[in-house]
Amino acid sequence: MAYSDKVIDHYENPRNVGSLPKDDVNVGTGLVGAPECGDVMKLQVKVNPATGIIDDAKFKTFGCGSAIASSSLATEWLKGKTVDEALAIKNTDIVSELSLPPVKIHCSVLAEDAIKAAITDWKSHQTPAAATEEPKKAQES
């Protein structure tokens, strides 16, 4: 199977490898995997609370070159985007950019799922005040 130059570049020179502090309320972590092929992808985003823009994105991926390339590309695309813009990234965009062969499309699906999971996790950290206010309101009534 021939990989595109972009896949090879992202595999040999992955961008944004690493981790962000998971206890930071502005960081969301998505961990996804595909048992049928053994790929596991952890993707994290750090959202600026004042602007709602993703300031940083990191990944760690265990898997094939296409999975690593999909993760690397996703982190590049996430930086500077709003959360809504990030959620608009589709696996088909990744497939197109990297020219992934059909047998490797699942890697782009993992990347899209990891983005969604990271943003969902980030959102879960953004409403603790609202969650603690609800019981107080119930007690007052």
Side-chain angles (χ1 to χ4, degrees):
M1 164 182 356
Y3 286 114
S4 71
D5 290 341
K6 287 183 182 180
V7 169
I8 293 168
D9 181 40
H10 277 279
Y11 174 72
E12 291 180 347
N13 307 293
R15 284 71 145 174
N16 308 305
V17 174
S19 294
L20 296 168
K22 63 181 179 183
D23 55 346
D24 184 336
V25 297
N26 298 313
V27 171
T29 302
L31 183 62
V32 296
E36 69 275 1
C37 64
D39 295 330
V40 178
M41 190 177 291
K42 179 178 93 170
L43 189 141
Q44 294 178 294
V45 294
K46 182 170 186 172
V47 181
N48 182 319
T51 63
I53 299 212
I54 297 170
D55 284 341
D56 202 1
K58 299 280 186 194
F59 82 93
K60 286 187 176 180
T61 295
F62 175 81
C64 66
S66 294
I68 292 166
S70 294
S71 305
S72 176
L73 178 66
T75 59
E76 280 197 319
W77 280 0
L78 288 167
K79 289 182 179 184
K81 286 194 172 12
T82 65
V83 170
D84 287 340
E85 290 170 336
L87 288 171
I89 295 172
K90 299 295 175 209
N91 79 294
T92 51
D93 302 325
I94 295 167
V95 168
S96 184
E97 180 68 18
L98 294 176
S99 302
L100 291 177
V103 71
K104 293 297 182 178
I105 288 176
H106 67 276
C107 296
S108 67
V109 172
L110 274 182
E112 180 183 339
D113 290 347
I115 291 168
K116 289 177 181 173
I119 290 173
T120 298
D121 183 57
W122 169 77
K123 284 181 178 179
S124 76
H125 303 308
Q126 302 312 300
T127 56
T132 57
E133 286 175 20
E134 286 301 317
K136 289 179 187 174
K137 287 179 186 174
Q139 290 171 354
E140 291 171 2
S141 355

